[in-house]
């Protein structure tokens, strides 16, 4: 009771019971009203309850007049437009390496990756698992890889960051694995682990993909060089007829959809400015010279 008094409450004792009232609130004479047949405390309680109900009414009116009308204008529930790119990403299956090439070509478009990052992350892990199992006959590696403390490594983000900085060899020569580890949410000292993970999961896949791309470019270049010869003209004509026949047959059997990726040079990761190389030997030399200057 003394504690309540010290805290500012007014305490009124009546026999073996007591009532207390908040600070600056005078005690209420709890008499019965002749009009409502209620005590003063009951009337105060009804008034407080009515205030709460009125406040709820104001909130409901606000929701009805503003929030509901706002979401109705958005017309989200009646959206009928389908995102074909997302549907194709989710339906993509890996049966040949050309399927891997298709996904890696999509990832080369950075705007496309930003838009469909969640779907591409899951599909990228599926692709890596398929490649390890079918092409390298490795079934013991956990996907996605993780540290000893359970933190998982996002393989798509790792791939994109290394490609942005010029690839595995360039990142290693420029001492950038610590920066990539930090960008992935790890510590600088985890750089060796991140580098090993890339080598174990992605290095051969990326090499194989780039090898296939170079091989295809060489074939295209050879075809362009032979276009001027009569034999090339006959071959071109034969291929055009064969392609038209295949196209008409495919149109009858299946429906074809196109992904809305740009795959243009200005959207590629390789055009991003690379990080500045950190030269540890130069840094040590600068520190030694500074120490020598201070000592002198």
């Amino acid at each position: 009771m003394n504690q309540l008094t010290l805290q500012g409450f007014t305490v009124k004792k009546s026999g073996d019971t007591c009532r207390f009232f908040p600070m600056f609130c005078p005690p209420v004479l709890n008499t019965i009203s002749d009009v409502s047949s209620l005590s003063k405390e009951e009337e105060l309680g009804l008034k407080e309850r009515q205030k709460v109900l009125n406040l709820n009414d104001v909130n409901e009116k606000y929701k009805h007049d503003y929030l509901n009308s706002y979401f109705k204008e958005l017309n989200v529930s009646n959206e009928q437009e389908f995102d074909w790119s997302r549907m194709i990403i989710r339906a993509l299956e890996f049966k040949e390496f050309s399927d891997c090439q298709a996904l890696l070509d999509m990832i080369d478009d950075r705007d496309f990756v930003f838009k469909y990052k969640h779907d591409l992350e899951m599909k990228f892990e599926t692709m890596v698992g398929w490649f390890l199992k079918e092409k390298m006959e490795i079934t013991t590696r956990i996907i996605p890889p993780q540290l000893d403390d359970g933190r998982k490594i996002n393989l798509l983000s790792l791939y994109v960051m290394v490609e942005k900085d010029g690839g595995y060899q360039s990142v290693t020569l420029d001492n950038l694995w610590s920066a990539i580890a930090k960008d992935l949410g790890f510590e600088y000292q985890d750089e060796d682990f991140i580098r090993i993970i890339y080598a174990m999961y992605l290095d051969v896949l990326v090499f194989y993909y780039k090898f296939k791309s170079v091989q295809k470019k060489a074939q295209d270049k050879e075809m362009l060089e032979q276009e001027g010869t009569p034999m090339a003209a006959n071959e071109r004509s034969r291929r055009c007829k064969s392609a038209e026949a295949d196209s008409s047959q495919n149109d009858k059997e299946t429906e074809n959809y196109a992904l809305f990726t740009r795959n243009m040079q200005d959207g590629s990761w390789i055009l991003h400015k690379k990080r500045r190389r950190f030269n540890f030997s130069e840094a040590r030399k600068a520190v030694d010279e500074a120490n020598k200057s201070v000592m002198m």
Side-chain angles (χ1 to χ4, degrees), residues 3 14 21 26 28 42 142 144 196 198 202 213 228 244 246 278:
Q3 185 67 28
S14 176
F21 305 90
V28 178
E42 291 172 336
I142 301 173
I196 292 170
Y198 186 92
L202 301 176
S213 299
E244 290 175 359
D246 293 341
F278 186 79

Side-chain angles (χ1 to χ4, degrees), residues 171-179 188-189 191-192 276-289:
V171 170
T172 303
L173 290 175
D174 293 341
N175 297 319
L176 294 176
W177 286 110
S178 58
Y188 289 120
Q189 54 266 29
E191 58 175 321
D192 289 335
R276 183 178 298 175
R277 179 176 178 178
F278 186 79
N279 193 320
F280 287 98
S281 60
E282 291 293 332
R284 292 193 193 96
K285 183 179 178 182
V287 171
D288 292 339
E289 290 179 353

Side-chain angles (χ1 to χ4, degrees), residues 1-11 20-24:
M1 189 178 298
N2 293 333
Q3 185 67 28
L4 289 171
T5 304
L6 288 174
Q7 290 177 357
F9 289 92
T10 301
V11 181
F20 61 94
F21 305 90
M23 186 186 301
F24 307 120

Side-chain angles (χ1 to χ4, degrees), residues 92 97-107 209 259 263:
L92 182 61
F97 188 75
S98 57
D99 300 323
C100 300
Q101 285 181 293
L103 182 61
L104 291 170
D105 287 341
M106 296 178 207
I107 296 171
Y209 167 64
L259 284 158
N263 279 332

Side-chain angles (χ1 to χ4, degrees), residues 184-229:
L184 287 171
F186 299 95
E187 301 301 327
Y188 289 120
Q189 54 266 29
D190 295 324
E191 58 175 321
D192 289 335
F193 181 79
I194 299 298
R195 179 179 58 80
I196 292 170
I197 288 297
Y198 186 92
M200 290 176 60
Y201 285 83
L202 301 176
D203 194 30
V204 177
L205 171 65
V206 174
F207 174 80
Y208 201 64
Y209 167 64
K210 291 182 178 179
F211 172 76
K212 289 288 186 181
S213 299
V214 171
Q215 196 176 42
K216 184 177 183 302
K217 287 180 181 179
Q219 292 175 353
D220 294 341
K221 183 178 179 181
E222 185 179 355
M223 288 178 60
L224 288 173
E225 290 175 350
Q226 294 178 355
E227 277 187 354
T229 62

Side-chain angles (χ1 to χ4, degrees), residues 94 97 100 103-104 107 120-139 141-145 154-156 159 197-198 200-203 205-206:
F94 300 99
F97 188 75
C100 300
L103 182 61
L104 291 170
I107 296 171
L120 289 171
E121 283 174 353
M122 295 188 294
K123 194 59 66 173
F124 191 85
E125 290 177 358
T126 304
M127 176 190 69
V128 173
W130 176 87
F131 182 83
L132 291 176
K133 180 180 179 182
E134 299 298 329
K135 294 294 183 180
M136 302 184 66
E137 298 181 355
I138 297 175
T139 58
R141 293 179 187 171
I142 301 173
I143 297 178
N154 189 314
L155 289 175
L156 176 62
Y159 168 79
I197 288 297
Y198 186 92
M200 290 176 60
Y201 285 83
L202 301 176
D203 194 30
L205 171 65
V206 174

Side-chain angles (χ1 to χ4, degrees), residues 1 30 35 45 61 94-95 103 107 129 132 146 157 160 189 207 236 238 244 252-253 278:
M1 189 178 298
N30 199 25
V35 179
K61 186 175 184 301
F94 300 99
K95 298 179 181 178
L103 182 61
I107 296 171
L132 291 176
Q146 56 187 13
S157 297
V160 166
Q189 54 266 29
F207 174 80
R236 232 178 10 256
R238 185 187 67 78
E244 290 175 359
K252 294 178 182 178
E253 295 178 353
F278 186 79

Side-chain angles (χ1 to χ4, degrees), residues 20-82:
F20 61 94
F21 305 90
M23 186 186 301
F24 307 120
C25 180
V28 178
L29 297 175
N30 199 25
T31 57
I32 304 298
S33 174
D34 296 334
V35 179
S36 61
S37 300
L38 298 174
S39 66
K40 287 289 185 180
E41 289 185 355
E42 291 172 336
E43 287 182 350
L44 288 173
L46 286 176
K47 288 181 181 179
E48 291 296 326
R49 184 168 179 270
Q50 191 60 42
K51 285 182 181 178
V52 174
L53 293 176
N54 292 338
L55 183 61
N56 289 336
D57 292 340
V58 172
N59 291 338
E60 288 297 326
K61 186 175 184 301
Y62 173 79
K63 286 166 58 179
H64 181 271
D65 294 345
Y66 178 74
L67 293 178
N68 292 344
S69 60
Y70 171 74
F71 285 112
K72 187 175 181 180
E73 289 175 1
L74 291 178
N75 198 22
V76 176
S77 59
N78 296 326
E79 187 67 42
Q80 297 295 328
E81 183 179 346
F82 295 102

